[in-house]
Amino acid sequence: MDLGLAGKKALVCAASKGLGRSCAMALAQEGVDLVIVARTPGPLEETADQIAKETGVSVQTVAVDITTPEGRKTALALCPTPDILVNNAGGPPPGNFRDWERDDWIAAVDQNMLTPIELIKATVDGMIERRFGRIVNITSSAVKAPIDVLGLSNGARTGLTGFVAGVARTTVQHNVTINNLLPGPFDTDRLKSIVKMRAGAQGMSEEEAAAQLKASNPAGRFGDPDEFGAACAFLCSAKSGFITGQNFLIDGGAYPGTF
Ligand code: NAD
C-alpha cells in the first residue's frame, strides 16, 4: 500500500531509541523527512545517520529535553510546520502514591500530558491551514488497564487522553487527525530495565523474568518495536483521514476485554 506520505515532514519526539525510533524509521521508509528529538546527542546522531543511510530521507536532530519550554522552542524552531507530529517522552517512575509529593505529580503531568498538549497547540493550526496533519501520541496500555505502581503514568496519560478525545473531533474536518497508540510490552531498553528490576526483586535471572513476562502475554512474546512503528506510519498516512480520537492498544492481546 502506498501510504501517500512521500515528501511530508515529521517531528518525532524521544526518537533516538525504542518506540520513538521505530516510528521515525517507519515514516522514513515511506519517504518522510524527519526532525528527531532526544536528550543525548551521541545516540541521537547515530540513529539519524542510520535512518538517513537506510532510507535516503533528510534527518535533522535536536538534542533537547522535550519536556522543557526551551527544549520545545528549539525543536519547533527547526521544525515549525510539521505535517506529522509524534509525541513521546520517557515514562514516570513506578512507586506508591503515598510517597509522591506535589512535585512528583507536576513532573509527570509536565512530561506525559502538558508536553504533548503544548506541541499540539504549537502545530495544529498550521496543519489545519494546510489541510493535512497527523498527530500520534505514544501513551501506554496502562491508560486502558491501569497498573497500580504506575499511578503517575496512569493519571497523567489519562489526562492527555481526555484532552485528545475532545480536540480530535474538531480538527478532523480539516484532514487533521489526532490518535493515541497504547503500547503493551515492547522489546525496548525501557522494558529491559523493567525485566532487570523484576529479576532482582524476585531473585531470578533476567532470562527467567523475561520468559515469565512473555508467557503471561497471549502472543507468548514481547512486541517488536518495528510492529509499533508500522502502526504509527499507517495512522499518519494519507489513507487514515477518517480515523481520529482513537486509542489503539498494541499489546499482543494482553487486555482481556471484548472492546
Ligand atoms: P526507551 O527508553 O527505549 O526510549 C526512550 C527514548 O526517549 C530515548 O530515545 C530517550 O532518549 C528519549 N527521551 C526520554 N525522555 C525524553 C525527553 N524528556 N526529551 C527527549 N527525549 C527523551 O523507551 P520506550 O520503551 O521506547 O518507551 C517510550 C514511551 O512508551 C515511554 O513513555 C514509555 O513509558 C511508554 N511505554 C513503553 C512500553 C514498552 O514496553 N516499551 C510500554 C508502555 C508504555
Side-chain angles (χ1 to χ4, degrees):
M1 192 192 305
D2 177 4
L3 296 186
L5 286 177
K8 301 276 189 215
K9 182 163 210 173
L11 176 59
V12 187
C13 302
S16 67
K17 294 191 211 161
L19 304 179
R21 181 189 190 283
S22 299
C23 292
M25 179 61 96
L27 290 170
Q29 285 164 345
E30 296 301 319
V32 175
D33 291 323
L34 301 173
V35 173
I36 60 172
V37 183
R39 283 170 303 193
T40 318
L44 181 64
E45 292 305 329
E46 233 170 79
T47 293
D49 287 349
Q50 278 169 5
I51 295 177
K53 213 173 277 170
E54 218 169 283
T55 64
V57 303
S58 148
V59 187
Q60 293 174 285
T61 59
V62 192
V64 295
D65 181 342
I66 198 67
T67 67
T68 64
E70 311 79 61
R72 287 190 290 277
K73 202 171 155 196
T74 309
L76 288 165
L78 191 61
C79 190
T81 56
D83 304 300
I84 294 166
L85 167 65
V86 179
N87 277 314
N88 186 31
N96 183 322
F97 78 93
R98 293 170 186 82
D99 300 326
W100 295 328
E101 303 297 342
R102 180 177 167 75
D103 284 352
D104 300 305
W105 279 104
I106 297 297
V109 167
D110 244 347
Q111 179 172 251
N112 297 112
M113 179 180 170
L114 297 180
T115 291
I117 290 174
E118 289 285 355
L119 288 168
I120 291 170
K121 182 179 161 190
T123 56
V124 76
D125 288 335
M127 292 176 179
I128 288 172
E129 269 167 37
R130 297 187 302 278
R131 300 198 72 77
F132 182 92
R134 299 287 184 262
I135 300 175
V136 171
N137 305 302
I138 300 180
T139 65
S140 172
S141 61
V143 171
K144 181 138 176 156
I147 301 167
D148 61 353
V149 295
L150 293 180
L152 291 168
S153 171
N154 301 338
R157 295 189 201 271
T158 304
L160 172 67
T161 306
F163 167 77
V164 164
V167 77
R169 269 85 187 180
T170 70
T171 61
V172 64
Q173 64 184 303
H174 307 289
N175 192 23
V176 177
T177 67
I178 315 179
N179 293 288
N180 305 314
L181 281 177
L182 284 57
F186 274 86
D187 199 0
T188 65
D189 282 3
R190 178 175 165 91
L191 187 67
K192 285 186 181 80
S193 68
I194 292 170
V195 166
K196 198 172 178 178
M197 256 169 30
R198 281 177 71 107
Q202 296 176 14
M204 52 173 74
S205 71
E206 284 174 40
E207 290 71 27
E208 283 167 330
Q212 205 179 66
L213 270 178
K214 287 177 187 173
S216 71
N217 187 286
R221 64 179 177 89
F222 294 148
D224 178 338
D226 287 349
E227 295 173 302
F228 192 89
C232 177
F234 179 74
L235 275 184
C236 293
S237 76
K239 316 266 181 194
S240 60
F242 207 53
I243 305 174
T244 200
Q246 301 305 302
N247 291 283
F248 294 101
L249 196 53
I250 311 185
D251 69 347
Y255 180 78
T258 306
F259 298 106

